[in-house]
């Protein structure tokens, strides 16, 4: 069947702002940016390389694990493949400040005992594997998952989510174990081998959008669906025509901003008439209506992103919602990351059977 999962939007304060509020010295705040592309550099098979977008909105959903259920707020992330949550095995402040899974309180938990390190751009996360019933909406899955053993204060203590539910291909997950999406299919929990995302144009914590497991909701998009084939079955990576030699773009719900290949950033900003400052790419409010619309060539069509979408309002100041990466695709093409900023404009459909990503305008996009 089809399982809609309401998404909550953690919006309004960046991790940088939360850290500043908690008295973290400014010299540490300068080190937050990192390179978003590092999460896609594959190292050893048991390691997943991550960075999380720490600067704007996250879209989170509720899941439960165990019998009786223990509840967690997780990031639904198409840029990673593993499921993990904090656990009572972990005593660091980052764990204690979030919901933690207590294996001794679940009648259906079974320990696996294998430990792995998930490497993040800002630090590592160590987990031990366990097995239990995972519930997402009204979907019940017998699933292996990671129980955190150690989480660094920066960035995990400052994040609004407890754990991460990865939805990328199994090739970037812990080897030898099925991903949650694989098990949902094998355990006949999904009507179709598809999941989709809708992000509200005016997100709130109560409702930021929906994740649809097992299908699509036609009421949440308009017109036809544009399909783009996946070029490498690790991440949801497609081809986009921003570069003369062709670029790759990863469709990543775990990143907020639009990430530009570093070699194109200067020309990109020059075309917008903007320059970088210590506070990002600042835009005068009066200039926003005259900024150009961005066009992404995907599967023979032009997907547009107007300035009303890519210019962000941060407590009255306007910034261009971009950042850079110097990581290229495995085959050498420059790499874009199409994060939630892009996906607010388009309903996105991830077709696991046909290895393709679909885009359709969300209803409010037609009015822009």
């Amino acid at each position: 069947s089809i399982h809609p999962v309401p998404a909550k939007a953690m919006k309004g304060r960046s991790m940088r702002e939360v850290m500043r509020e908690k008295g973290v010295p400014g010299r540490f705040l300068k080190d937050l940016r990192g390179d978003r592309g590092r999460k896609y550099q594959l190292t050893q098979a048991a390691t997943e390389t991550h960075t999380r977008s720490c600067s704007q909105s996250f879209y989170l959903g509720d899941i439960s694990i165990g019998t009786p259920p223990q509840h967690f707020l997780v990031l639904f992330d198409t840029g990673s493949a593993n499921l993990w949550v904090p656990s009572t095995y972990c005593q660091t402040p980052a764990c204690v400040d979030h919901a933690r899974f207590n294996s001794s309180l679940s009648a259906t938990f079974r320990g696996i005992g294998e430990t792995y390190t998930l490497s993040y751009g800002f630090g590592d996360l160590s987990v031990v594997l366990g097995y239990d019933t995972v519930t997402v909406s009204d979907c019940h899955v017998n699933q292996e998952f990671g129980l955190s053993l150690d989480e660094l204060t920066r960035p995990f203590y400052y994040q609004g989510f407890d754990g991460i539910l990865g939805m990328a291909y199994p090739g970037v997950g812990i080897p030898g174990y099925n991903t949650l999406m694989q098990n949902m299919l094998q355990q006949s929990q999904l009507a179709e081998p598809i999941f989709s995302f809708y992000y509200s144009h005016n997100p709130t914590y109560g409702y930021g959008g929906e994740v649809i497991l097992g299908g699509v909701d036609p009421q949440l998009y308009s017109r036809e669906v544009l399909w783009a084939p996946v070029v490498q079955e690790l991440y949801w990576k497609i081809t986009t025509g921003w570069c003369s030699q062709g670029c790759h773009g990863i469709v990543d719900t775990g990143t907020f901003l639009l990430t530009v290949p570093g070699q194109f950033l200067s020309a990109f900003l020059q075309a917008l008439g903007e320059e970088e400052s210590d506070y990002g790419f600042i835009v005068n409010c009066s200039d926003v209506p005259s900024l150009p619309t961005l066009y992404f060539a995907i599967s023979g069509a032009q997907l547009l992103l107007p300035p009303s979408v890519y210019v962000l309002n941060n407590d009255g100041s306007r910034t261009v919602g971009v950042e850079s990466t110097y990581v290229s695709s495995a085959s050498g093409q420059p790499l874009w990351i199409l994060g939630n900023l892009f996906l607010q404009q388009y309903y996105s459909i991830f077709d696991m059977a046909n290895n393709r990503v679909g885009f359709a305008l969300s209803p409010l996009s037609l009015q822009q």
Side-chain angles (χ1 to χ4, degrees):
S1 60
I2 294 177
H3 309 272
V5 183
K8 301 175 181 179
M10 297 294 292
K11 187 176 176 67
R13 293 190 305 165
S14 67
M15 189 178 78
R16 184 187 304 271
E17 290 167 333
V18 174
M19 292 175 72
R20 185 181 293 115
E21 182 180 281
K22 291 179 179 289
V24 175
R27 65 180 182 275
F28 293 114
L29 300 179
K30 294 179 181 179
D31 299 330
L32 281 179
R33 180 166 296 174
D35 188 327
R36 301 297 173 214
R38 289 181 60 195
K39 72 181 285 187
Y40 313 111
Q41 289 182 313
L42 296 179
T43 53
Q44 56 182 312
T47 300
E48 215 177 317
T49 303
H50 285 268
T51 57
R52 297 262 56 81
S53 176
C54 300
S55 54
Q56 292 294 330
S57 298
F58 283 129
Y59 295 85
L60 316 174
D62 293 306
I63 70 168
S64 66
I65 303 176
T67 309
Q70 300 177 43
H71 298 274
F72 302 92
L73 196 59
V74 298
L75 175 69
F76 287 84
D77 180 19
T78 61
S80 67
N82 296 324
L83 169 64
W84 67 267
V85 295
S87 81
T88 53
Y89 301 142
C90 177
Q91 300 299 324
T92 65
C95 293
V96 173
D97 195 56
H98 289 86
R100 293 186 294 168
F101 181 77
N102 188 333
S103 60
S104 66
L105 298 181
S106 175
T108 47
F109 176 80
R110 188 173 80 238
I112 297 175
E114 298 179 18
T115 59
Y116 290 89
T117 297
L118 308 181
S119 296
Y120 283 69
F122 299 121
D124 294 344
L125 168 78
S126 60
V127 299
V128 61
L129 292 187
Y131 180 90
D132 211 330
T133 300
V134 176
T135 300
V136 186
S137 183
D138 56 350
C139 183
H140 307 284
V141 185
N142 298 316
Q143 177 67 36
E144 297 85 8
F145 67 103
L147 295 79
S148 70
L149 297 173
D150 183 56
E151 296 181 31
L152 294 177
T153 297
R154 182 166 60 102
F156 299 108
Y157 176 78
Y158 303 98
Q159 301 289 22
F161 54 81
D162 300 316
I164 294 175
L165 193 162
M167 305 177 82
Y169 283 89
V172 295
I174 293 175
Y177 298 97
N178 283 352
T179 67
L180 183 70
M181 301 312 298
Q182 281 181 299
N183 278 335
M184 282 186 174
L185 286 171
Q186 292 183 11
Q187 297 172 30
S188 302
Q189 294 293 307
L190 301 181
E192 296 181 85
I194 287 175
F195 58 90
S196 54
F197 284 78
Y198 164 74
Y199 291 140
S200 169
H201 285 252
N202 297 294
T204 66
Y205 182 75
Y207 182 80
E210 290 187 21
V211 183
I212 312 294
L213 303 176
V216 300
D217 185 344
Q219 296 183 346
L220 296 178
Y221 64 90
S222 304
R223 299 182 182 175
E224 69 279 359
V225 176
L226 173 71
W227 291 103
V230 170
V231 297
Q232 183 185 26
E233 295 173 22
L234 291 172
Y235 300 99
W236 293 96
K237 184 189 297 184
I238 61 175
T239 298
T240 178
W242 258 90
C243 326
S244 58
Q245 73 273 39
C247 286
H248 284 163
I250 292 179
V251 187
D252 184 359
T253 60
T255 294
F256 179 78
L257 298 178
L258 181 67
T259 302
V260 180
Q263 61 265 48
F264 301 132
L265 184 62
S266 294
F268 180 86
L269 293 174
Q270 186 175 5
L272 298 182
E274 307 302 331
E275 296 181 356
E276 185 174 8
S277 73
D278 291 339
Y279 300 97
F281 307 108
I282 301 295
V283 178
N284 289 326
C285 295
S286 58
D287 293 340
V288 174
S290 61
L291 290 175
T293 294
L294 305 180
Y295 291 88
F296 292 81
I298 296 175
S299 291
Q302 299 284 339
L303 299 188
L304 59 87
L305 203 65
S308 59
V309 175
Y310 70 76
V311 174
L312 307 174
N313 183 355
N314 296 310
D315 296 325
S317 65
R318 301 295 196 276
T319 57
V320 180
V322 298
E323 56 191 348
S324 64
T325 179
Y326 288 89
V327 174
S328 61
S329 185
S331 51
Q333 284 91 341
L335 185 66
W336 291 73
I337 304 173
L338 306 179
N340 295 335
L341 186 70
F342 180 85
L343 297 175
Q344 283 180 340
Q345 182 79 353
Y346 295 97
Y347 187 94
S348 54
I349 307 169
F350 299 80
D351 185 341
M352 296 179 283
N354 296 298
N355 297 310
R356 58 183 184 169
V357 182
F359 300 98
L361 281 171
S362 58
L364 283 179
S365 302
L366 298 173
Q367 303 172 17
Q368 296 178 345

